[in-house]
Amino acid sequence: MDVLIHLFVGLHIIGIAALLGGFLTQMKAMGQGTARFVPGMLHGALTMLVTGVALVGLNQADHHHVNTFKIGVKLALLIVILGLVYVKRDEEKIDKGAFGTVGLLTAANIFIAVLWT
């Protein structure tokens, strides 16, 4: 079971890398007002959602303690990220506020994952 959990953790990290990488590649465009949500950002966020849900289930099945409040906060942030990216995915230009919010919430999600014990 540990191998499967570690596999999903790796996939979860790939998802967050796609989301954050998409954001970082658009930083220069954000400064010029031409940033957009690239498809990799949506795919990364969806990967995070699916693997995160799988990780909770796998950890509970393996009788590991799961901090449900922490997971709930992370899920709420991810739902906001997914909502913004999904709704505005076809727009040619995204306003700086919405784009910056996605980056901020993504960073917050990362820091919650590693610092909240």
Side-chain angles (χ1 to χ4, degrees), residues 79-101:
I79 287 172
V80 171
I81 292 168
L82 262 171
L84 283 169
V85 173
Y86 184 78
V87 168
K88 297 185 176 284
R89 72 188 184 282
D90 292 330
E91 294 183 15
E92 287 298 318
K93 296 179 185 177
I94 308 296
D95 61 297
K96 290 180 184 181
F99 197 79
T101 299

Side-chain angles (χ1 to χ4, degrees), residues 62-83:
D62 204 24
H63 305 292
H64 293 179
H65 172 72
V66 176
N67 185 342
T68 54
F69 187 70
K70 172 184 171 180
I71 299 302
V73 170
K74 288 178 54 58
L75 180 62
L77 293 177
L78 184 56
I79 287 172
V80 171
I81 292 168
L82 262 171

Side-chain angles (χ1 to χ4, degrees), residues 4 9 29-30 37 40 49 52 56-57 65 72 83 87 89 94 97 100 108-109 116:
L4 193 58
V9 168
M30 185 176 80
F37 291 129
L49 178 65
V56 170
H65 172 72
V87 168
R89 72 188 184 282
I94 308 296
N109 219 340
W116 187 340

